[in-house]
Each structure stands twice: as C-alpha cells, then as structure tokens.
C-alpha cells in the first residue's frame, strides 16, 4: 500500500479479514459439530434396526456432543405406535 | 532405524513435491542416506521435479505387488549418491497402495536409510492417508491463503487421529509448519496473512518460510531440486529449513521486505 493510498483510504487490509474468517471457521471445525462418520453410522444403524423393527429413517437420529471432557454419542429411535 | 517424514498439506499446488525434492536433497547434502517416495499414484510428478523421469523402469506399486524388487525400483539421484527416489505408478489408481504392501516396503527401507521422505498427494483420501500413516514427523506445507490454511488444519487433525503413532497410542507425530510462496511485500501491504498470523491460527511450530520466487519454476523446468539453485533465496531458505529440522538454530531469512525507494513508497508499486 502506498503512502497516498494510506491517506485516501482506498484499500482495505484484506489479510486481517482473512485472519478473522479463519479464526471463526477453524474454531468451529475443531469443536467438530458433526464428525465425518455420523451420516454413515446413522445409515448402518438404520439398516440393522429396520431388520427387526419397522421404523422410518426419520425416526432414528444420531447426535454427538461434547460435555466437559468427554463426548456423548446419543442414539434416538422412535418406535412406531403399536396398534 | 530410519526416521519417516511426511510432506503433506491437504490442498494441492502449495509446494509439496517441490518441498519433498528440496528437503530430501538437503538431508542427503548433509550426509544422510535418504529416500524420497512419491505417494501420488496415477499423477506421478516427483520424478520430473527430481529430473529422473527417463530412468523410471519399475515403481513403488510394482514393488508392492511383487513384480519387482525394491532395489530395481530405487533410482539413484543425478548428483547425490546417498539419495534415492522411489517413483510411483502413472497408470494404476490409488487403491493399488495396500496398507500391508506399503508397510512391507517401509520396513525394508527402514533398514537401508536414515531418512524416508514421503511426498503425499493432495486431498484426504487413500494416497494421503497411506503417506502419513508411518510418519514420525510431518511437514505441513501451507500457503498464506485461506483455503490452504483451512486444509492444513484439517490434515493436522487427521495426523493426530489416523497415523500409526496415534493408533498405537505412542508419542504423537512431530508437526512442523512450512510456509511457502511467502511474499513479505504483500504481507506488509496487508494483502497477505503474515507468518505470525498463520502460526497463531494453526498452532504448530514454524520450521521455515520459503519466499515466493521465480526460481522455483526455473528449477522444476530443468528437473533440479530447488535447494541446488545456488545463491538463490529459495535454496538458502530450504537449507535453513533442513538445518532447523536437524536441530540447529537458524534465524528466519527472506521474511522482511527490502527497503523500497521514496518514490515507490509514495506512488506504490
């Protein structure tokens, strides 16, 4: 950036924009919202469970969350109404 | 027992092969028996950068499949007689790199060499995973640019989880950051992430900074590892990088902009 640019304020410091964006995205990706294997795990669980119980895909949900020092894998299966 | 070093990055085109060639040559220049392996099956290029493309007869995949002995596939470097290149196949796909096959070849190389440098392909698929699996140390090649930094962070996560050391619960892979294509001028102008920025974002010790330079292209044009480009800034920066890897203290060079004239500062350029 030249001296004149500085006074005219014609250029923004794009490097600091890059740094701020990276800070956010890296923090988010490191805290790992969804590990890569969750969709596959959900599909395989679905296949096994539906062998024995008639359930729909929407009735199975798999979540992973961090609680303090450990991670919790939560599996939720909603059984169909028995009529 | 050899030390195994993976040169990796996640992102393509950041300088992995250039670095593998220069770094392996640098280790050999220091007197270490070194082998550099191309893991980029199907897109082999290390042979070109090392200038030995016309001497490839057998490759890494032939050895894995028992079609050739390791000694037949290893190519001696043009200038350094303690440096060998193990080229990869141009025709097969990455699935040809079986985990057992790679382990067998690595075990054999361990007996013969001081350092094994693994040139990883881009991406996070089989080839990249095989390249990093046996690593004791990793050189994460990063450009001061958003997508490269993000991909490097990703590959650092994979190193921590998927390497043999991680699987066996041993001491983790030693991580090193190598910043390439660095332009002090653009950093000063606020257009490029600084080395401090990248260090802070990735939280990995900095092994070296390689400046952006036309010399890199001149070197690869001729099939000469950049560290042999006598007197150039990149050759010196790679020499420093190798020295630091071997435990020497070296101050960073080529990270400050040369002083420009009054007129340049006034009018830009």
């Amino acid at each position: 950036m030249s001296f004149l640019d500085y006074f005219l304020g014609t250029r923004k410091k794009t490097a600091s924009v890059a740094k701020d964006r990276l800070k956010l995205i890296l923090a988010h990706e490191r805290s790992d919202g969804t590990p890569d294997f969750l969709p596959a795990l959900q599909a395989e669980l679905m296949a096994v469970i539906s062998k024995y119980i008639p359930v729909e895909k929407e009735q199975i949900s798999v979540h992973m969350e961090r609680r303090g020092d450990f991670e919790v894998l939560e599996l939720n299966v909603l059984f169909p109404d028995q009529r | 027992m050899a030390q195994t070093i993976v040169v990796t990055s996640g992102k393509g085109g950041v300088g992995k092969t250039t670095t593998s060639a220069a770094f392996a040559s640098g280790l050999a220049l220091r007197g270490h028996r070194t082998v550099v392996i191309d893991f980029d099956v199907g897109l082999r290029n290390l042979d070109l950068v090392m200038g030995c493309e016309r001497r490839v007869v057998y490759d890494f995949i032939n050895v894995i499949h028992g079609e050739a002995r390791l000694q037949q596939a290893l190519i001696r470097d043009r200038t350094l007689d303690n440096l060998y290149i193990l080229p990869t196949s141009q025709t097969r796909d990455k699935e040809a790199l079986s985990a057992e096959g790679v382990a067998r070849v690595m075990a054999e190389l361990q007996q013969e060499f001081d350092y094994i440098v693994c040139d990883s392909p881009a991406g996070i698929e089989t080839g990249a995973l095989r390249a990093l699996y046996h690593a004791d140390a990793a050189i994460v090649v990063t450009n001061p640019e958003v997508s490269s930094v993000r991909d490097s962070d990703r590959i650092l996560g994979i190193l921590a989880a998927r390497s043999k050391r991680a699987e066996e619960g041993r001491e983790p892979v030693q991580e090193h950051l190598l910043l390439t294509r660095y332009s002090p001028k653009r950093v000063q102008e606020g257009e490029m992430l600084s080395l401090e920025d990248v260090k802070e974002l990735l939280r990995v010790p900095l092994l070296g900074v390689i400046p952006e330079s036309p010399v890199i292209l001149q070197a690869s044009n001729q099939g000469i590892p950049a560290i042999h480009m006598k007197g150039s800034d990149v050759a010196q920066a790679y020499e420093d990088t190798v020295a630091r890897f071997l435990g020497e203290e070296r101050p960073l060079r080529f990270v400050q902009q040369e002083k420009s004239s009054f007129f340049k500062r006034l009018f830009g350029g």
Side-chain angles (χ1 to χ4, degrees):
Chain A
M1 191 155 77
S2 80
F3 206 54
L4 288 178
D5 286 331
Y6 182 78
F7 274 112
L8 298 170
T10 45
R11 250 187 270 176
K12 245 168 73 184
K13 302 265 185 188
T14 55
S16 62
V17 178
K19 190 181 179 186
D20 292 343
R21 291 174 62 215
L22 278 167
K23 264 189 186 160
L24 275 175
I25 192 71
L26 295 189
H28 176 74
E29 286 172 351
R30 281 179 193 147
S31 70
D32 85 89
T34 313
D36 293 349
F37 60 81
L38 271 195
L41 178 65
Q42 178 154 1
E44 284 175 36
L45 284 171
M46 169 73 198
V48 173
I49 293 169
S50 59
K51 253 168 76 180
Y52 303 96
I53 309 160
V55 285
E56 298 296 321
K57 193 174 189 311
E58 304 77 57
Q59 291 164 316
I60 297 181
S61 65
V62 183
H63 289 289
M64 183 103 118
E65 62 177 296
R66 189 178 289 277
R67 285 186 198 156
D69 280 348
F70 52 93
E71 285 172 80
V72 179
L73 179 71
E74 184 184 288
L75 170 66
N76 236 311
V77 185
L78 213 65
F79 290 102
D81 290 338
Q82 308 275 334
R83 278 179 206 147
Chain B
M1 193 70 169
Q3 191 180 7
T4 305
I5 304 153
V6 63
V7 178
T8 186
S9 70
K11 190 174 184 300
V14 297
K16 281 183 299 296
T17 302
T18 301
T19 295
S20 298
F23 192 80
S25 300
L27 289 170
L29 279 168
R30 294 299 210 89
H32 300 289
R33 286 182 57 83
T34 306
V35 59
V36 55
I37 311 176
D38 192 346
F39 273 82
D40 202 350
V41 182
L43 294 171
R44 99 174 160 214
N45 276 319
L46 180 68
D47 55 337
L48 269 179
V49 175
M50 298 287 299
C52 66
E53 69 277 8
R54 291 171 60 185
R55 290 192 287 144
V56 177
V57 182
Y58 294 108
D59 59 50
F60 191 17
I61 306 300
N62 291 139
V63 179
I64 285 177
H65 290 196
E67 295 149 1
R69 284 178 296 111
L70 183 56
Q71 300 305 332
Q72 293 176 293
L74 286 173
I75 302 171
R76 190 197 290 252
D77 184 59
R78 283 195 304 193
T79 52
L80 302 167
D81 60 11
N82 55 350
L83 175 62
Y84 287 81
I85 298 114
L86 184 53
T88 192
S89 167
Q90 179 71 298
T91 52
R92 318 261 190 115
D93 63 42
K94 57 187 185 292
E95 303 307 323
L97 280 176
S98 70
E100 313 75 56
V102 173
R104 201 162 12 86
V105 175
M106 296 300 270
E108 207 173 325
L109 290 170
Q110 292 270 351
Q111 308 302 315
E112 304 283 325
F113 291 95
D114 302 324
Y115 289 99
I116 304 172
V117 178
C118 303
D119 181 21
S120 172
I124 51 173
E125 289 174 60
T126 310
L129 296 178
R130 295 280 189 270
L132 68 81
Y133 185 71
H134 293 273
D136 301 306
I139 297 177
V140 180
V141 182
T142 307
N143 290 168
E145 178 268 326
V146 285
S147 46
S148 176
V149 172
R150 183 198 211 172
D151 290 358
S152 291
D153 193 66
R154 191 78 201 283
I155 212 81
L156 285 164
I158 292 171
L159 273 164
R162 309 278 298 268
S163 68
K164 190 173 184 215
R165 280 177 171 267
E167 280 184 5
E168 292 175 353
R170 286 188 289 150
E171 215 173 290
V173 177
Q174 201 182 87
E175 297 162 343
H176 301 278
L177 173 64
L178 183 70
L179 210 50
T180 54
R181 307 199 66 168
Y182 195 71
S183 170
K185 179 173 178 289
R186 305 192 70 188
V187 170
Q188 192 164 334
E189 288 169 351
E191 289 179 7
M192 182 180 271
L193 290 165
S194 70
L195 61 100
E196 289 83 10
D197 290 340
V198 181
K199 261 167 72 179
E200 183 190 329
L201 287 161
L202 292 177
R203 304 181 210 151
V204 173
L206 185 67
L207 184 65
V209 177
I210 311 299
E212 168 83 58
S213 167
V215 170
I216 296 285
L217 185 59
Q218 292 163 13
S220 72
N221 281 345
Q222 306 171 80
I224 299 173
I227 201 164
H228 293 311
M229 301 298 279
K230 292 276 176 281
S232 69
D233 49 0
V234 286
Q236 294 174 62
Y238 272 120
E239 276 169 23
D240 287 350
T241 300
V242 172
R244 284 188 207 104
F245 185 84
L246 296 173
E248 279 176 41
E249 295 263 349
R250 293 265 177 119
L252 283 174
R253 293 193 276 176
F254 319 110
V255 294
Q256 296 297 329
Q257 190 192 356
E258 310 139 42
K259 292 229 163 59
S260 57
S261 73
F262 172 74
F263 285 105
K264 258 194 173 169
R265 270 184 284 160
L266 189 60
F267 297 110

